[in-house]
Structure formats: C-alpha cells, structure tokens
Amino acid sequence: TAMLFGTIIFAAVGLAARTWLAGDPRAIHAAFDPFAKPLDASSYTSMYTLLHHLSVFGVILLFAYICENHPPYAHSDKSYDRDEFFFLTALLFVVSAYTVHRNDGGKGKLQNSPRKEKDEDSKKRPLKVASVNPANEVLNRDQTEEWKGWMQFMFLLYHYYHAEETYNSIRIMITCYVWMTGFGNFSFFYLKGDYSLVRVLQMLWRLNFLVIFLCLSQGTTYILYYICPLHTYFFFMVYFTMRIGKHLNYTRYGFRFKLAIVALIIYFLWD
C-alpha cells in the first residue's frame, strides 16, 4: 500500500510541477473543483485530477496509520460521562432544528418511473409505476439521508465514549441503517429496473472501497468492519430478490410471493 500510494503521490507532484512550470495551471485548478466529472483517460486534466485525489486519499490513510500505530501522544482510556454524552445528543437536535425547511407543498415536478426501455423487459412491466414527488414522498431521499446522518453521529458518539448503557439503542439504529440500505436498493431496482453489472460494481465499490484500503494499510481483518459485510450481504439479497423473476415485480401477487419465499429462507437460515 505504501509503495502504491507513494508512486501515485510522486507522479502527482511531478505532473503538478510540470504543469506549473509550463505556465498553464488549469489542471491544478480543475483538481480542486468540488464537482466531480467522469474520468477521461485521454485528458491530461482528468488524469491529473484522479492522481491528485488518490494522493489525498493516500495521505489520509498514512495519517490514520500513524495515529493508530505510532501516535504522537499515547492513547488514553475511554471515560464515559453521561451528562456530557446526552448534552451532545441534545445539541445535535438543536443544530438540526436550524436546517428544518418546508418542502414544495406538492408543487414539485412529478416523475414517472421506470422510464421506457428498448429491451424486451419494457413490454413486461408498466411504463408508469407511480407518480413520484421527491419532496412529499414518505422516506424520500432527504429524509433518509438526514436519518442516516443522525445515526452516524450517534455511532461515533457511542464508540468515542464507550457508552455501554446505550448499546441496545445503537443495535436498533444499526438495524435501521441496514433496513434503509435494503429499502434504498429496492426502490432503485423497482423504479429504474437496472440490474446491470455496472450497478452491482458501483454498489460494491461504495460499500467496501474504504474498508479494503484500511485493511491493506492498517493490517486489520475485513470482519472487523462488520457493518460493511452486513450491508454487502443485504445488497445482494435485495438484488437477487428483485433480479430473479423480475417480470413478477410489477404484478399484484408475484412480488408478494417472492417476498414470502425470501422470508422463509431468512427464517430457516437464522431461526
């Protein structure tokens, strides 16, 4: 890992120096653009941007390694203070209150999904599944993202303070988080009907890329970051449930039958 990111950082610094000395810093400015653009292997600017961000990622991993294995200050024992813990929790609600805003009151643009496709599957499912108003739908993207943010804050607070008395609550939050992963993927497959390999690889990359590099750089095991294998498993469960017999997803009883089969599998597998 050190050789990999060391080579990347060396290349990025070399290209940055070449760009600066050439008097054309456009590539450097583009690397600091907060809006990501698709990679273009034939573009010098695009490749430099990729190397720049990989270099930053490598520095973050190095910092994590130093803090974990060669800390400048000795690690201290965790000390739980109930008053401080719940004060910070209450503070989260106070700060969150300042982000409350009205939705569009039902005036948003309705979206019909899934869209018409050219393949033969489009003949087997309706062109219009539901009229979607992103602002007013129950568990819309904004709601679920905020819910996830609250729980991530509690996860960090729980581990930072080692708040054992909140253990059961944290387990419930983890269950909710896993459920939302399944719900989000179900919604995507139901509305978009995209079961391509690209989609699968995108999800696996999002769920596991940081953990893989942490395992390589810190010498830890994959199962230590149990939440990522858990999300990965349930992504595959939702994917295969929706992918197998996908023409049944839009029938009255077909999808209920598939859910019943999955429920039986889960029951016999764990209970």
Side-chain angles (χ1 to χ4, degrees):
T1 307
M3 292 183 62
L4 172 63
F5 284 100
T7 303
I8 292 174
I9 293 174
F10 179 80
V13 172
L15 290 178
R18 175 181 178 274
T19 301
W20 185 263
L21 292 175
D24 185 10
R26 286 179 298 176
I28 298 177
H29 294 160
F32 289 93
D33 186 350
F35 299 100
K37 297 179 178 61
L39 178 65
D40 182 4
S42 62
S43 170
Y44 175 85
T45 299
S46 182
M47 293 303 297
Y48 173 75
T49 300
L50 174 64
L51 292 175
H52 169 82
H53 289 293
L54 287 176
S55 299
V56 173
F57 183 50
V59 171
I60 293 173
L61 291 177
L62 176 62
F63 178 74
Y65 177 83
I66 292 174
C67 290
E68 181 64 26
N69 297 281
H70 306 284
Y73 303 99
H75 293 165
S76 61
D77 295 330
K78 296 180 180 180
S79 177
Y80 175 56
D81 186 318
R82 174 185 288 183
D83 293 337
E84 188 174 343
F85 178 88
F86 285 104
F87 170 75
L88 292 175
T89 303
L91 189 63
L92 170 65
F93 285 92
V94 174
V95 173
S96 299
Y98 284 93
T99 66
V100 174
H101 63 277
R102 290 182 177 275
N103 61 23
D104 64 1
K107 299 178 182 179
K109 182 179 179 181
L110 298 181
Q111 302 173 356
N112 297 330
S113 298
R115 298 178 180 177
K116 185 176 180 180
E117 298 181 358
K118 296 181 180 179
D119 59 18
E120 59 181 9
D121 292 330
S122 63
K123 301 176 183 178
K124 298 180 180 180
R125 70 167 180 261
L127 299 181
K128 177 180 177 181
V129 173
S131 295
V132 179
N133 188 321
N136 292 332
E137 286 294 302
V138 176
L139 292 180
N140 60 59
R141 185 66 177 266
D142 289 339
Q143 288 179 345
T144 55
E145 291 298 320
E146 185 169 8
W147 188 4
K148 290 178 181 178
W150 290 347
M151 292 191 293
Q152 287 175 357
F153 178 87
M154 295 307 300
F155 296 156
L156 292 174
L157 210 59
Y158 165 76
H159 286 289
Y160 184 84
Y161 284 101
H162 194 54
E164 292 183 337
E165 69 173 322
T166 63
Y167 176 84
N168 290 333
S169 299
I170 296 299
R171 296 301 103 183
I172 294 174
M173 292 181 190
I174 290 175
T175 302
C176 292
Y177 210 108
V178 173
W179 180 86
M180 279 196 290
T181 296
F183 175 76
N185 283 295
F186 160 77
S187 300
F188 177 87
F189 291 131
Y190 185 78
L191 295 174
K192 303 294 185 182
D194 180 7
Y195 304 97
S196 65
L197 179 62
V198 172
R199 173 63 183 179
V200 174
L201 294 178
Q202 284 177 338
M203 283 302 303
L204 293 180
W205 175 256
R206 293 174 189 175
L207 292 172
N208 294 284
F209 91 96
L210 180 58
V211 169
I212 291 174
F213 283 105
L214 283 175
C215 290
L216 293 174
S217 61
Q218 309 296 324
T220 52
T221 59
Y222 180 60
I223 199 62
L224 178 65
Y225 311 94
Y226 64 95
I227 194 67
C228 293
L230 192 62
H231 281 280
T232 301
Y233 170 80
F234 280 102
F235 164 72
F236 276 120
M237 190 182 76
V238 173
Y239 174 79
F240 286 115
T241 300
M242 298 295 290
R243 178 66 179 83
I244 298 174
K246 57 184 177 181
H247 62 283
L248 298 175
N249 295 341
Y250 307 97
T251 60
R252 175 170 296 182
Y253 298 108
F255 189 64
R256 292 175 173 83
F257 175 75
K258 291 172 66 174
L259 290 180
I261 295 297
V262 173
L264 287 175
I265 292 175
I266 292 175
Y267 175 78
F268 286 115
L269 189 61
W270 277 284
D271 293 329

